[in-house]
Amino acid sequence: MEQNLLDAIDLQLLDALQRDASISNVALAERVNVSPPTCLRRVKRLTDGGWIERQVAVLSADKLSATLGHGLSALVEVSLDRQGSEHLDAFEAHAVAHDAVQQCWRVSPGPDFMLVVQARDMPHYLAISQSLFTQDANVRNVKAFFATKRAKFTTTWPLSSRAQATGTL
């Protein structure tokens, strides 16, 4: 298999694994109609090739809220005063190193960054914002939007529908 090419079996494997990475190799092999050794070899090749970055557990926000409180989810626009690559890189490194930052995106046009920040409560968000935004003299503008309801959250890519549309499955 060439490094950058995926066949229909690879796409089926990736689709199944992104939905449930805890599936056994035997069950996964049955799902995509290959032998278990072939399945194991292909998954290893997909992992070694960087198609699978890591496997994680997605925690239930509803269940955690009973123990930790509901918390605040904030979507934060950040505009920098100076946008040279060294300034963008420096802010990005600072943001991604912060535990409360769940996602960090460089965007264009508009703000320079969009962050998804998770805080316990408003005082915690204030501490986060001081750490991330006010201690850096290069941050020109911050605009935070606080989530009132999460209507959808997924980590999956639409691989099956894409493969079917292109005729590879």
Side-chain angles (χ1 to χ4, degrees):
M1 171 174 93
E2 192 176 314
Q3 281 292 70
N4 294 329
L5 297 178
L6 297 176
D7 64 15
I9 299 294
D10 295 327
L11 288 172
Q12 290 175 10
L13 288 168
L14 290 172
D15 188 58
L17 288 170
Q18 75 176 344
R19 294 173 194 287
D20 182 5
S22 68
I23 189 172
S24 73
N25 182 60
V26 171
L28 182 60
E30 286 175 10
R31 184 171 293 174
V32 300
N33 297 315
V34 297
S35 69
T38 298
C39 183
L40 194 60
R41 189 172 53 251
R42 281 179 172 258
V43 170
K44 180 177 179 353
R45 188 170 50 212
L46 290 167
T47 302
D48 292 346
W51 295 98
I52 300 171
E53 287 185 27
R54 59 189 164 143
Q55 294 182 21
V56 299
V58 178
L59 305 180
S60 167
D62 292 336
K63 296 283 187 184
L64 285 173
S65 68
T67 303
L68 304 176
H70 287 285
L72 292 174
S73 296
L75 291 89
V76 184
E77 294 180 355
V78 180
S79 298
L80 302 182
D81 196 31
R82 295 175 306 281
Q83 283 108 9
S85 63
E86 69 278 4
H87 300 293
L88 293 166
D89 291 344
F91 179 80
E92 182 180 294
H94 183 60
V96 300
H98 201 291
D99 285 344
V101 176
Q102 291 184 323
Q103 296 181 44
C104 176
W105 297 83
R106 281 194 196 185
V107 295
S108 178
D112 298 305
F113 291 91
M114 285 293 300
L115 307 178
V116 176
V117 176
Q118 188 66 40
R120 286 186 305 275
D121 51 26
M122 192 54 78
H124 185 225
Y125 177 78
L126 178 61
I128 294 165
S129 66
Q130 288 174 338
S131 169
L132 285 174
F133 313 130
T134 61
Q135 293 178 2
D136 186 343
N138 192 35
V139 173
R140 180 183 61 209
N141 189 39
V142 176
K143 190 173 184 181
F145 302 89
F146 296 97
T148 57
K149 177 184 175 189
R150 181 173 79 179
K152 180 178 182 179
F153 172 81
T154 185
T155 60
T156 60
W157 289 74
L159 297 178
S160 292
S161 59
R162 188 170 297 186
Q164 289 170 347
T166 61
T168 57
L169 281 182

